[in-house]
Structures are given as C-alpha cells and as structure tokens.
Coordinates of all heavy atoms in Angstrom, one line a residue:
M451 N 6.1 14.0 -3.4 CA 7.3 13.2 -3.0 C 8.3 13.3 -4.1 O 8.0 13.3 -5.3 CB 6.8 11.7 -2.8 CG 8.0 10.8 -2.5 SD 7.4 9.1 -2.1 CE 6.9 9.3 -0.4
D452 N 9.6 13.3 -3.7 CA 10.7 13.4 -4.7 C 10.8 12.1 -5.5 O 10.5 11.0 -4.9 CB 12.0 13.6 -4.0 CG 12.1 15.0 -3.4 OD1 11.4 15.9 -3.8 OD2 12.8 15.1 -2.4
K453 N 11.2 12.2 -6.7 CA 11.4 10.9 -7.5 C 12.6 10.2 -7.0 O 13.6 10.7 -6.6 CB 11.6 11.3 -9.0 CG 10.4 11.7 -9.7 CD 10.7 11.9 -11.2 CE 9.4 12.3 -11.9 NZ 9.7 12.6 -13.3
K454 N 12.5 8.8 -7.0 CA 13.5 8.0 -6.6 C 14.1 7.3 -7.8 O 13.3 6.9 -8.7 CB 13.0 6.9 -5.6 CG 12.3 7.4 -4.4 CD 13.2 8.1 -3.4 CE 12.5 8.6 -2.2 NZ 13.2 9.5 -1.4
F455 N 15.4 7.1 -8.0 CA 15.9 6.5 -9.1 C 16.5 5.1 -8.7 O 17.3 5.1 -7.8 CB 17.0 7.4 -9.8 CG 16.3 8.6 -10.4 CD1 16.3 9.8 -9.6 CD2 15.8 8.6 -11.7 CE1 15.6 10.9 -10.2 CE2 15.2 9.7 -12.2 CZ 15.1 10.9 -11.4
K456 N 16.2 4.1 -9.4 CA 16.6 2.7 -9.2 C 17.1 2.1 -10.5 O 16.6 2.5 -11.5 CB 15.5 1.9 -8.6 CG 15.0 2.3 -7.2 CD 16.0 1.9 -6.2 CE 15.5 2.1 -4.8 NZ 16.4 1.5 -3.8
K457 N 18.0 1.1 -10.3 CA 18.4 0.4 -11.5 C 17.6 -0.9 -11.6 O 17.3 -1.5 -10.5 CB 19.9 0.0 -11.4 CG 20.8 1.2 -11.7 CD 22.3 0.8 -11.8 CE 23.1 2.0 -12.1 NZ 24.6 1.6 -12.1
I458 N 17.3 -1.3 -12.8 CA 16.7 -2.6 -13.0 C 17.8 -3.7 -13.0 O 18.8 -3.5 -13.7 CB 15.9 -2.7 -14.4 CG1 14.9 -1.6 -14.4 CG2 15.4 -4.0 -14.6 CD1 14.3 -1.4 -15.8
N459 N 17.6 -4.7 -12.2 CA 18.7 -5.8 -12.2 C 18.6 -6.7 -13.3 O 17.7 -6.6 -14.1 CB 18.7 -6.5 -10.8 CG 17.6 -7.5 -10.6 OD1 17.0 -7.9 -11.6 ND2 17.4 -7.9 -9.4
K460 N 19.5 -7.6 -13.5 CA 19.6 -8.5 -14.6 C 18.4 -9.4 -14.8 O 18.1 -9.9 -15.8 CB 20.9 -9.3 -14.7 CG 21.1 -10.2 -13.5 CD 22.4 -10.9 -13.5 CE 22.7 -11.7 -12.3 NZ 24.0 -12.3 -12.2
N461 N 17.6 -9.6 -13.7 CA 16.4 -10.4 -13.7 C 15.2 -9.6 -14.0 O 14.1 -10.1 -14.1 CB 16.2 -11.1 -12.4 CG 17.3 -12.1 -12.1 OD1 17.8 -12.8 -13.0 ND2 17.7 -12.2 -10.8
G462 N 15.4 -8.3 -14.2 CA 14.2 -7.4 -14.5 C 13.6 -6.9 -13.3 O 12.5 -6.2 -13.4
S463 N 14.2 -7.1 -12.1 CA 13.5 -6.6 -10.8 C 14.0 -5.2 -10.5 O 15.1 -4.8 -10.8 CB 14.0 -7.5 -9.7 OG 13.5 -8.9 -9.9
V464 N 13.1 -4.5 -9.9 CA 13.3 -3.2 -9.3 C 12.8 -3.1 -7.9 O 11.7 -3.6 -7.7 CB 12.6 -2.1 -10.2 CG1 12.8 -0.7 -9.5 CG2 13.1 -2.1 -11.6
T465 N 13.6 -2.6 -7.0 CA 13.1 -2.5 -5.6 C 12.3 -1.2 -5.5 O 12.8 -0.1 -5.9 CB 14.2 -2.5 -4.6 OG1 14.9 -3.7 -4.7 CG2 13.7 -2.3 -3.2
I466 N 11.0 -1.3 -5.1 CA 10.2 -0.1 -4.9 C 10.6 0.4 -3.5 O 10.4 -0.3 -2.5 CB 8.7 -0.4 -5.0 CG1 8.4 -1.0 -6.4 CG2 7.9 0.8 -4.7 CD1 7.0 -1.6 -6.5
P467 N 11.0 1.7 -3.4 CA 11.4 2.2 -2.1 C 10.3 2.1 -1.0 O 9.1 2.2 -1.4 CB 11.8 3.7 -2.4 CG 12.1 3.7 -3.8 CD 11.3 2.6 -4.4
K468 N 10.7 1.8 0.2 CA 9.8 1.5 1.3 C 8.8 2.6 1.4 O 7.6 2.4 1.6 CB 10.6 1.4 2.6 CG 9.8 1.0 3.8 CD 10.7 0.9 5.0 CE 9.9 0.5 6.3 NZ 10.7 0.3 7.4
E469 N 9.2 3.9 1.4 CA 8.3 5.0 1.6 C 7.2 5.1 0.4 O 6.1 5.4 0.7 CB 9.0 6.3 1.7 CG 9.9 6.7 0.6 CD 11.4 6.2 0.8 OE1 11.6 5.2 1.4 OE2 12.3 6.9 0.3
I470 N 7.6 4.7 -0.8 CA 6.7 4.7 -1.9 C 5.7 3.5 -1.7 O 4.5 3.7 -1.9 CB 7.4 4.6 -3.2 CG1 8.1 6.0 -3.4 CG2 6.4 4.3 -4.4 CD1 8.9 6.0 -4.7
R471 N 6.2 2.3 -1.3 CA 5.3 1.2 -1.0 C 4.3 1.6 0.0 O 3.1 1.3 -0.1 CB 6.1 0.0 -0.6 CG 6.8 -0.7 -1.7 CD 7.6 -1.9 -1.3 NE 8.9 -1.5 -0.8 CZ 9.5 -2.1 0.3 NH1 9.0 -3.1 0.9 NH2 10.7 -1.6 0.6
A472 N 4.8 2.2 1.1 CA 3.8 2.6 2.2 C 2.8 3.6 1.7 O 1.6 3.4 2.0 CB 4.6 3.2 3.3
E473 N 3.2 4.6 0.9 CA 2.3 5.6 0.4 C 1.3 5.0 -0.5 O 0.1 5.4 -0.6 CB 3.1 6.7 -0.3 CG 2.2 7.9 -0.7 CD 3.0 9.1 -1.2 OE1 4.1 9.3 -0.7 OE2 2.5 9.7 -2.1
A474 N 1.7 4.0 -1.3 CA 0.8 3.4 -2.4 C 0.0 2.2 -1.8 O -0.8 1.7 -2.5 CB 1.7 3.0 -3.6
G475 N 0.3 1.8 -0.6 CA -0.4 0.6 0.0 C 0.0 -0.7 -0.7 O -0.8 -1.6 -0.9
L476 N 1.3 -0.8 -1.0 CA 1.9 -2.0 -1.6 C 2.6 -2.8 -0.5 O 3.5 -2.2 0.1 CB 2.8 -1.7 -2.8 CG 2.2 -0.9 -4.0 CD1 3.3 -0.5 -4.9 CD2 1.2 -1.7 -4.7
F477 N 2.2 -4.0 -0.3 CA 2.8 -4.8 0.8 C 3.5 -6.1 0.2 O 3.0 -6.7 -0.8 CB 1.7 -5.3 1.7 CG 1.1 -4.1 2.5 CD1 0.1 -3.4 2.0 CD2 1.6 -3.8 3.7 CE1 -0.5 -2.3 2.7 CE2 1.1 -2.7 4.4 CZ 0.0 -2.0 3.9
S478 N 4.6 -6.5 0.8 CA 5.3 -7.7 0.4 C 4.4 -8.9 0.5 O 3.6 -9.0 1.4 CB 6.6 -7.9 1.1 OG 6.3 -8.2 2.5
G479 N 4.4 -9.7 -0.5 CA 3.6 -10.9 -0.5 C 2.2 -10.7 -1.2 O 1.6 -11.7 -1.6
N480 N 1.9 -9.4 -1.4 CA 0.6 -9.2 -2.1 C 0.9 -9.0 -3.6 O 2.0 -8.5 -4.0 CB 0.0 -7.9 -1.6 CG -0.7 -8.1 -0.3 OD1 -0.5 -9.1 0.4 ND2 -1.4 -7.1 0.2
G481 N 0.0 -9.4 -4.5 CA 0.2 -9.3 -5.9 C 0.0 -7.8 -6.4 O -0.7 -7.0 -5.7
V482 N 0.7 -7.5 -7.5 CA 0.5 -6.2 -8.1 C 0.2 -6.4 -9.6 O 0.5 -7.4 -10.2 CB 1.8 -5.3 -8.0 CG1 2.0 -4.9 -6.6 CG2 3.0 -6.0 -8.6
A483 N -0.5 -5.5 -10.1 CA -0.8 -5.4 -11.6 C 0.2 -4.4 -12.2 O 0.4 -3.4 -11.6 CB -2.2 -5.0 -11.9
I484 N 0.9 -4.8 -13.3 CA 1.9 -4.0 -13.9 C 1.5 -3.8 -15.3 O 1.2 -4.7 -16.1 CB 3.3 -4.7 -13.9 CG1 3.7 -5.1 -12.4 CG2 4.3 -3.8 -14.5 CD1 4.9 -5.9 -12.3
D485 N 1.4 -2.5 -15.7 CA 0.9 -2.1 -17.0 C 1.8 -1.1 -17.7 O 2.1 -0.1 -17.0 CB -0.5 -1.6 -16.9 CG -1.2 -1.4 -18.2 OD1 -0.9 -2.1 -19.2 OD2 -2.0 -0.5 -18.3
A486 N 2.3 -1.3 -18.9 CA 3.0 -0.3 -19.7 C 2.1 0.7 -20.2 O 1.1 0.3 -20.8 CB 3.8 -1.0 -20.8
R487 N 2.3 2.0 -20.1 CA 1.5 3.0 -20.5 C 2.0 3.6 -21.8 O 3.2 3.6 -22.1 CB 1.4 4.1 -19.5 CG 1.1 3.6 -18.0 CD -0.2 3.0 -17.9 NE -1.3 4.0 -18.0 CZ -2.5 3.8 -17.8 NH1 -3.0 2.6 -17.5 NH2 -3.4 4.8 -17.9
P488 N 1.1 4.2 -22.6 CA 1.5 4.7 -23.9 C 2.6 5.8 -23.8 O 3.4 6.0 -24.7 CB 0.2 5.3 -24.5 CG -0.9 4.5 -23.8 CD -0.4 4.2 -22.5
D489 N 2.6 6.5 -22.7 CA 3.6 7.6 -22.5 C 4.9 7.1 -22.0 O 5.8 7.9 -21.8 CB 3.0 8.7 -21.5 CG 2.9 8.1 -20.1 OD1 3.2 7.0 -19.8 OD2 2.5 8.9 -19.2
G490 N 5.1 5.8 -21.9 CA 6.4 5.2 -21.5 C 6.5 5.0 -20.1 O 7.5 4.4 -19.6
S491 N 5.5 5.4 -19.3 CA 5.6 5.1 -17.9 C 5.1 3.7 -17.6 O 4.5 3.0 -18.5 CB 4.8 6.1 -17.1 OG 3.4 6.0 -17.4
V492 N 5.3 3.1 -16.4 CA 4.8 1.8 -16.0 C 4.0 2.0 -14.8 O 4.4 2.7 -13.8 CB 6.0 0.9 -15.7 CG1 5.5 -0.5 -15.2 CG2 6.8 0.7 -17.0
L493 N 2.7 1.5 -14.8 CA 1.8 1.7 -13.7 C 1.8 0.4 -12.9 O 1.5 -0.7 -13.4 CB 0.4 2.0 -14.2 CG -0.7 2.3 -13.2 CD1 -0.4 3.5 -12.4 CD2 -2.0 2.4 -13.9
I494 N 2.0 0.5 -11.6 CA 2.0 -0.7 -10.7 C 0.9 -0.4 -9.7 O 0.9 0.6 -8.9 CB 3.3 -0.9 -10.0 CG1 4.5 -1.1 -11.0 CG2 3.3 -2.0 -9.0 CD1 5.9 -1.1 -10.4
T495 N -0.1 -1.3 -9.6 CA -1.2 -1.1 -8.7 C -1.5 -2.4 -7.9 O -1.2 -3.5 -8.5 CB -2.5 -0.7 -9.4 OG1 -2.7 -1.6 -10.5 CG2 -2.4 0.7 -10.0
P496 N -2.0 -2.3 -6.7 CA -2.3 -3.6 -6.0 C -3.3 -4.4 -6.9 O -4.2 -3.9 -7.5 CB -3.0 -3.1 -4.7 CG -2.5 -1.7 -4.5 CD -2.3 -1.1 -5.9
A497 N -3.0 -5.7 -6.9 CA -3.8 -6.6 -7.8 C -5.2 -6.8 -7.2 O -6.2 -7.0 -7.9 CB -3.2 -7.9 -7.9
A498 N -5.3 -6.6 -5.9 CA -6.6 -6.8 -5.2 C -6.6 -5.7 -4.0 O -5.6 -5.4 -3.5 CB -6.8 -8.2 -4.6
P499 N -7.8 -5.3 -3.6 CA -7.8 -4.3 -2.5 C -7.2 -4.9 -1.3 O -7.4 -6.1 -0.9 CB -9.3 -4.1 -2.3 CG -10.0 -4.5 -3.5 CD -9.1 -5.6 -4.1
S500 N -6.4 -4.2 -0.6 CA -5.8 -4.6 0.7 C -5.8 -3.5 1.7 O -5.8 -2.4 1.4 CB -4.3 -5.1 0.4 OG -3.5 -4.1 -0.1
C501 N -5.7 -4.0 3.0 CA -5.8 -3.0 4.1 C -4.6 -2.0 4.0 O -3.5 -2.4 3.8 CB -5.7 -3.8 5.4 SG -5.6 -2.8 6.9
R502 N -4.9 -0.8 4.2 CA -3.9 0.3 4.1 C -2.8 0.2 5.2 O -1.7 0.7 5.0 CB -4.6 1.6 4.3 CG -3.8 2.8 3.9 CD -3.8 2.9 2.4 NE -3.1 4.2 2.0 CZ -1.8 4.3 1.9 NH1 -1.0 3.3 2.2 NH2 -1.3 5.4 1.5
F503 N -3.1 -0.5 6.2 CA -2.2 -0.6 7.4 C -1.4 -1.9 7.5 O -0.3 -1.8 7.8 CB -3.0 -0.3 8.7 CG -3.7 1.0 8.7 CD1 -5.0 1.1 8.4 CD2 -3.0 2.2 9.0 CE1 -5.7 2.3 8.4 CE2 -3.6 3.4 8.9 CZ -5.0 3.5 8.7
C504 N -2.0 -3.0 7.1 CA -1.3 -4.3 7.3 C -1.2 -5.1 6.0 O -0.5 -6.1 6.0 CB -2.0 -5.1 8.4 SG -3.5 -5.9 7.9
G505 N -2.0 -4.7 5.0 CA -1.9 -5.4 3.7 C -2.8 -6.6 3.6 O -2.9 -7.3 2.6
S506 N -3.6 -6.9 4.6 CA -4.5 -8.0 4.6 C -5.6 -7.8 3.5 O -6.0 -6.7 3.2 CB -5.3 -8.1 5.9 OG -6.3 -9.1 5.8
M507 N -5.9 -8.9 2.8 CA -6.9 -8.8 1.8 C -8.2 -9.5 2.2 O -9.1 -9.7 1.4 CB -6.4 -9.5 0.5 CG -5.3 -8.7 -0.1 SD -4.7 -9.2 -1.7 CE -3.6 -10.5 -1.3
T508 N -8.3 -9.8 3.5 CA -9.6 -10.5 3.9 C -10.3 -9.5 5.0 O -9.6 -8.8 5.7 CB -9.3 -11.8 4.6 OG1 -8.4 -11.7 5.7 CG2 -8.8 -12.8 3.6
D509 N -11.6 -9.7 5.0 CA -12.4 -8.9 6.0 C -12.1 -7.4 5.9 O -11.8 -6.7 6.9 CB -12.2 -9.3 7.4 CG -12.7 -10.7 7.7 OD1 -13.7 -11.1 7.0 OD2 -12.2 -11.4 8.6
I510 N -12.1 -6.9 4.6 CA -11.8 -5.5 4.4 C -13.0 -4.6 4.2 O -14.0 -5.1 3.7 CB -10.8 -5.3 3.3 CG1 -11.3 -5.8 2.0 CG2 -9.4 -5.8 3.6 CD1 -10.5 -5.5 0.7
L511 N -13.0 -3.4 4.5 CA -14.0 -2.4 4.2 C -13.4 -1.1 3.8 O -12.2 -0.9 4.1 CB -14.9 -2.2 5.5 CG -14.3 -2.0 6.8 CD1 -14.6 -0.6 7.3 CD2 -14.7 -3.0 7.8
T512 N -14.2 -0.3 3.2 CA -13.7 1.0 2.7 C -14.4 2.1 3.4 O -15.6 2.2 3.4 CB -13.9 1.1 1.1 OG1 -13.3 0.0 0.5 CG2 -13.3 2.4 0.6
I513 N -13.6 3.0 4.0 CA -14.2 4.2 4.7 C -13.5 5.4 4.1 O -12.3 5.6 4.2 CB -13.9 4.1 6.2 CG1 -14.4 2.8 6.8 CG2 -14.5 5.3 6.9 CD1 -14.0 2.5 8.2
D514 N -14.3 6.3 3.5 CA -13.7 7.5 2.8 C -12.5 7.2 2.0 O -11.5 7.9 2.1 CB -13.4 8.6 3.9 CG -14.6 9.1 4.5 OD1 -15.7 9.0 4.0 OD2 -14.5 9.7 5.7
N515 N -12.6 6.2 1.1 CA -11.6 5.8 0.2 C -10.4 5.2 0.8 O -9.3 5.0 0.2 CB -11.1 7.0 -0.7 CG -12.2 7.4 -1.7 OD1 -13.0 6.6 -2.2 ND2 -12.3 8.7 -1.9
I516 N -10.4 4.9 2.1 CA -9.3 4.2 2.8 C -9.8 2.8 3.0 O -10.8 2.5 3.6 CB -9.0 4.9 4.2 CG1 -8.4 6.3 3.9 CG2 -8.0 4.0 4.9 CD1 -8.2 7.1 5.2
I517 N -9.0 1.8 2.5 CA -9.3 0.4 2.7 C -8.7 -0.1 4.0 O -7.5 0.2 4.2 CB -8.8 -0.4 1.5 CG1 -9.5 0.1 0.2 CG2 -9.1 -1.9 1.7 CD1 -8.8 -0.4 -1.1
I518 N -9.4 -0.7 4.8 CA -8.9 -1.1 6.1 C -9.6 -2.5 6.5 O -10.7 -2.8 6.0 CB -9.3 -0.1 7.2 CG1 -8.6 -0.5 8.6 CG2 -10.8 0.1 7.4 CD1 -8.7 0.7 9.6
C519 N -8.8 -3.4 7.1 CA -9.3 -4.7 7.5 C -10.0 -4.5 8.9 O -9.8 -3.6 9.6 CB -8.2 -5.7 7.6 SG -7.1 -5.6 9.0
M520 N -10.9 -5.5 9.2 CA -11.6 -5.4 10.5 C -10.6 -5.5 11.7 O -10.8 -4.8 12.7 CB -12.6 -6.6 10.6 CG -13.8 -6.4 9.7 SD -14.7 -4.9 10.0 CE -15.4 -5.4 11.6
G521 N -9.5 -6.2 11.5 CA -8.5 -6.3 12.6 C -7.9 -5.0 12.9 O -7.9 -4.6 14.1
C522 N -7.5 -4.2 11.9 CA -6.9 -2.9 12.1 C -8.0 -1.9 12.6 O -7.7 -1.1 13.4 CB -6.2 -2.4 10.8 SG -4.7 -3.3 10.5
A523 N -9.2 -2.0 12.1 CA -10.3 -1.1 12.5 C -10.5 -1.3 14.0 O -10.7 -0.3 14.7 CB -11.6 -1.4 11.7
K524 N -10.5 -2.6 14.4 CA -10.7 -2.9 15.9 C -9.6 -2.3 16.7 O -9.8 -1.8 17.8 CB -10.9 -4.4 16.1 CG -12.2 -4.9 15.6 CD -12.3 -6.4 15.8 CE -13.7 -6.9 15.2 NZ -13.7 -8.4 15.2
K525 N -8.3 -2.4 16.2 CA -7.2 -1.9 16.9 C -7.3 -0.3 17.1 O -7.1 0.2 18.2 CB -5.9 -2.1 16.2 CG -5.3 -3.5 16.4 CD -4.0 -3.6 15.7 CE -3.6 -5.1 15.4 NZ -2.5 -5.2 14.5
I526 N -7.7 0.3 16.0 CA -7.9 1.8 16.0 C -9.0 2.1 17.0 O -8.9 3.1 17.8 CB -8.2 2.3 14.6 CG1 -6.9 2.2 13.8 CG2 -8.6 3.8 14.7 CD1 -7.1 2.4 12.3
L527 N -10.1 1.4 16.9 CA -11.2 1.7 17.8 C -10.8 1.5 19.3 O -11.3 2.3 20.2 CB -12.4 0.8 17.5 CG -13.3 1.2 16.3 CD1 -14.4 0.2 16.0 CD2 -13.9 2.6 16.6
S528 N -10.0 0.5 19.6 CA -9.6 0.3 21.0 C -8.7 1.5 21.5 O -8.8 1.8 22.6 CB -8.8 -1.0 21.1 OG -7.5 -0.9 20.5
K529 N -7.9 2.1 20.6 CA -7.1 3.3 20.9 C -8.1 4.5 21.2 O -7.8 5.3 22.1 CB -6.1 3.6 19.8 CG -5.1 2.6 19.6 CD -4.1 2.5 20.7 CE -3.0 1.5 20.4 NZ -2.1 1.2 21.5
V530 N -9.1 4.6 20.4 CA -10.1 5.7 20.5 C -10.8 5.6 21.9 O -11.0 6.5 22.6 CB -11.1 5.7 19.4 CG1 -12.2 6.7 19.7 CG2 -10.4 6.0 18.1
D531 N -11.1 4.3 22.3 CA -11.8 4.1 23.5 C -10.9 4.5 24.7 O -11.4 5.1 25.7 CB -12.1 2.6 23.7 CG -13.3 2.2 22.8 OD1 -14.0 3.1 22.4 OD2 -13.5 1.0 22.6
V532 N -9.5 4.3 24.6 CA -8.6 4.7 25.6 C -8.6 6.2 25.8 O -8.6 6.7 26.9 CB -7.2 4.1 25.3 CG1 -6.2 4.8 26.2 CG2 -7.1 2.6 25.4
V533 N -8.6 6.9 24.6 CA -8.6 8.4 24.6 C -9.8 8.9 25.3 O -9.8 9.9 26.0 CB -8.5 8.9 23.2 CG1 -8.7 10.4 23.2 CG2 -7.1 8.6 22.6
N534 N -11.0 8.3 25.1 CA -12.2 8.8 25.7 C -12.4 8.5 27.1 O -13.3 9.1 27.8 CB -13.4 8.2 24.9 CG -13.6 8.8 23.5 OD1 -13.1 9.9 23.3 ND2 -14.2 8.1 22.6
D535 N -11.6 7.6 27.7 CA -11.7 7.3 29.1 C -11.3 8.4 30.0 O -10.5 9.2 29.7 CB -10.9 6.0 29.5 CG -11.6 4.8 29.0 OD1 -12.8 4.8 28.7 OD2 -10.9 3.7 29.0
Ligands
ZN520 ZN1 -5.2 -4.3 8.5

C-alpha cells in the first residue's frame, strides 16, 4: 500500500485513512495501543483483539490468524449455505 501523508492537528490528533484502518482492523470506538519505536516510527495496534469485520471484542475466535466474532461467522456461514443450495 502507498504511504499516506497526514498532518498532526494542534491537539495531537492524526486521522488514520479509512483504507489503512480497514487493512489493520482498527475500528472507531475501539482502543489502540500507541508506542514510539527507537527508529522514530510510531506503532499503533488494537488494544484488544477485535473482529476483523465488525470490530466487536466479544464472542471472538481466531481462524488461520483471522479474528472473527460469532455474529459475523454466522453471517458468513449463512451465505455459504445459500451457495450450496
Ligand atoms: Zn464481527
């Protein structure tokens, strides 16, 4: 993915572009851990595991390194059932 350039506002906030939030699994309302790295970069990671699709932090499971909630898993399974009919 191409680098995105943003300005830090006077309150210290930076908007993380939507496509980067989606790729990283960062959802509004969910906490993040922010850490300054020795190389000058800043690492932002989800503070707690959350569903890759909806951001839920409850009833989650991990399948092949993808974190998903039971609600989204059921939605996906219902689509698979339709395909098999
Ligand atoms: Zn979900």
Side-chain angles (χ1 to χ4, degrees):
M451 178 175 281
D452 293 334
K453 284 185 179 177
K454 307 289 184 192
F455 294 92
K456 293 285 188 173
K457 287 186 178 178
I458 300 170
N459 76 14
K460 61 185 174 187
N461 297 320
S463 298
V464 175
T465 300
I466 302 170
K468 184 178 181 179
E469 58 269 30
I470 290 178
R471 283 181 277 145
E473 185 172 327
L476 301 173
F477 293 87
S478 67
N480 287 7
V482 292
I484 304 171
D485 188 30
R487 312 294 290 186
D489 67 358
S491 63
V492 176
L493 182 65
I494 300 172
T495 52
S500 60
C501 175
R502 192 75 174 85
F503 301 99
C504 74
S506 172
M507 290 188 277
T508 57
D509 292 332
I510 58 171
L511 50 114
T512 303
I513 303 168
D514 290 340
N515 293 325
I516 296 172
I517 300 167
I518 187 170
C519 73
M520 288 301 292
C522 288
K524 286 176 182 173
K525 280 184 200 169
I526 291 169
L527 280 175
S528 72
K529 297 289 183 186
V530 171
D531 287 343
V532 168
V533 170
N534 287 339
D535 282 346

